[in-house]
Amino acid sequence: MNGFGRFIPLLIVVVLVGVFLSAMMSDRNPKEIKSVMIGKPVPTFEIPNLFDDQPALTDARLRSGKPVIVNFFASWCLPCRAEHENLVTLASGYTVDVIGIAYKDDPEASRDFLDELGNPYAAAGVDRDGRLAIDWGVSGVPETFFIDGEGVIRYRHWGPIVGDSLRVQLLPQLEELQ
Amino acid sequence: MLRWFGSILVAVTLSITAFAVAVDDKPLKDPVKEAMARALMKEIRCLVCQNQSIEDSNADLARDLRQIVRERISLGDSPDNVRAYLVDRYGDWVLLEPPVNTSTYLLWGSPFLLLLLVAYGVMRSRREQAGPAPLSSEEQEKLNAILREGDGK
């Protein structure tokens, strides 16, 4: 009991303090749900195009050989409005196609939303009942996925792309993908 | 009489709002399957409110998930299959009771760890209470000699 044994309680306290401190100092968002879809192929789907004169959106569009970004959005979603400018920047400045999926939104309202704020999407589909989003493990809009040319999900951004997250998180991921 | 009538009115109004939540949730016709689905819903975490099950959450996504649970159960899926379907998409987090695996050993093991620590503490304090060990026969002899010397004075 003498010698090393008496330091065991102290050791336990030091380890616990270390664990709690590291958890408190990290900038992780405890509400964020980690995606289990990373590294998995995108689910197969076929949904109507947001624009009637264009063909239906299918998962084949995400397997074109070139990386694409898939963004779940809705016109009723305020954070989507907040991140929209960054999506326009992504689509116009970085030679990558951004595909929009309107989540549980009236197509008319989605189109008005894009008319008002600009349309960054190379293609956009309508997920009227939100079933496709559930297949992607989406828990709420906006969520943004990076897909490699083979249709495998490589990265997921949870919540709106605001603040420095475009520069700090998304652009490095995009560079890695390309 | 009027007060009595008033309280009935209040009760009826309140129960109408209580029903409003569940109105667009259509229970399954087969009561056995409905019970199975309901039991499963209690185990599934609402991903929007996070600390509620989808069974008692009003979130839009929770309602969609309830619908999926009912759909799959009515098509003959076992609760295990439905659970696997949801874990495939949302990870273990979607289950309110975390499964035992490498990332949750510490979580499940911590009560036992705590028990061990308490046992260790109890053992130590008992040893301290027992006081010093009894004298060996040699020491006793020495003590007796000292005491005798004192008597002799």
Side-chain angles (χ1 to χ4, degrees):
Chain A
M1 201 49 57
N2 304 319
F4 182 68
R6 61 168 54 189
F7 289 110
I8 288 178
L10 179 68
L11 208 74
I12 292 170
V13 169
V14 168
V15 168
L16 281 180
V17 167
V19 168
F20 291 142
L21 264 185
S22 71
M24 276 163 64
M25 309 283 263
S26 77
D27 55 357
R28 130 198 132 86
N29 177 355
K31 293 203 92 173
E32 174 173 351
I33 302 156
K34 291 269 170 286
S35 177
V36 290
M37 298 299 287
I38 313 280
K40 288 190 196 173
V42 295
T44 49
F45 65 89
E46 180 171 351
I47 52 173
N49 202 299
L50 183 59
F51 299 97
D52 297 332
D53 54 341
Q54 285 172 30
L57 185 67
T58 71
D59 51 296
R61 180 67 181 80
L62 312 180
R63 260 186 247 107
S64 61
K66 276 197 297 184
V68 292
I69 293 174
V70 173
N71 173 248
F72 285 84
F73 75 103
S75 68
W76 46 261
C77 145
L78 276 178
C80 300
R81 196 167 273 272
E83 73 167 2
H84 203 78
E85 196 186 329
N86 274 327
L87 288 176
V88 174
T89 308
L90 258 178
S92 60
Y94 294 92
T95 60
V96 61
D97 278 355
V98 182
I99 312 254
I101 296 177
Y103 171 77
K104 292 195 140 191
D105 199 9
D106 174 21
E108 191 66 48
S110 309
R111 282 191 292 266
D112 286 348
F113 178 79
L114 297 181
D115 274 347
E116 184 195 336
L117 296 171
N119 183 0
Y121 303 124
V126 179
D127 182 20
R128 198 76 177 86
D129 57 4
R131 282 302 171 94
L132 180 63
I134 287 175
D135 269 347
W136 284 65
V138 167
S139 56
V141 277
E143 279 189 33
T144 308
F145 294 83
F146 284 23
I147 321 293
D148 68 11
E150 276 75 55
V152 177
I153 298 172
R154 290 296 176 198
Y155 174 73
R156 194 269 319 243
H157 185 87
W158 189 84
I161 305 164
V162 287
D164 59 1
S165 56
L166 177 67
R167 190 172 51 79
V168 175
Q169 293 171 299
L170 275 86
L171 289 183
Q173 288 289 340
L174 183 61
E175 209 165 290
E176 208 170 289
L177 211 59
Q178 286 171 333
Chain B
M1 182 64 192
L2 200 67
R3 253 173 76 179
W4 181 77
F5 180 75
S7 54
I8 290 278
L9 196 71
V10 166
V12 167
T13 326
L14 284 178
S15 64
I16 286 171
T17 45
F19 276 124
V21 176
V23 119
D24 49 348
D25 264 23
K26 285 197 195 80
L28 297 174
K29 286 200 185 81
D30 180 347
V32 178
K33 284 190 168 171
E34 173 65 13
M36 208 195 265
R38 288 296 283 268
L40 191 56
M41 287 172 202
K42 288 197 176 83
E43 291 176 35
I44 304 299
R45 187 192 298 275
C46 166
L47 295 134
V48 180
C49 13
Q50 304 207 347
N51 288 323
Q52 268 181 312
S53 73
I54 58 169
E55 209 242 356
D56 52 25
S57 163
N58 292 331
D60 214 25
L61 184 67
R63 195 182 42 215
D64 291 352
L65 291 177
R66 280 197 299 270
Q67 209 176 341
I68 285 182
V69 167
R70 283 205 172 93
E71 242 172 59
R72 300 192 80 90
I73 290 286
S74 77
L75 288 173
D77 265 7
S78 72
D80 274 346
N81 280 346
V82 181
R83 231 177 269 132
Y85 168 93
L86 290 166
V87 169
D88 264 0
R89 285 155 182 77
Y90 291 105
D92 288 338
W93 170 250
V94 78
L95 306 173
L96 277 170
E97 182 170 300
V100 182
N101 57 34
T102 44
S103 60
T104 55
Y105 280 154
L106 193 64
L107 179 69
W108 285 106
S110 54
F112 301 102
L113 227 61
L114 194 72
L115 215 63
L116 266 165
L117 271 173
V118 170
Y120 170 80
V122 168
M123 245 167 59
R124 266 192 75 151
S125 70
R126 277 208 170 166
R127 205 166 313 181
E128 267 159 28
Q129 270 173 14
L135 297 177
S136 69
S137 59
E138 212 173 303
E139 285 165 335
Q140 190 65 51
E141 200 78 345
K142 253 187 194 168
L143 180 65
N144 288 345
I146 291 166
L147 289 174
R148 267 201 302 276
E149 223 169 84
D151 278 349
K153 253 185 188 170

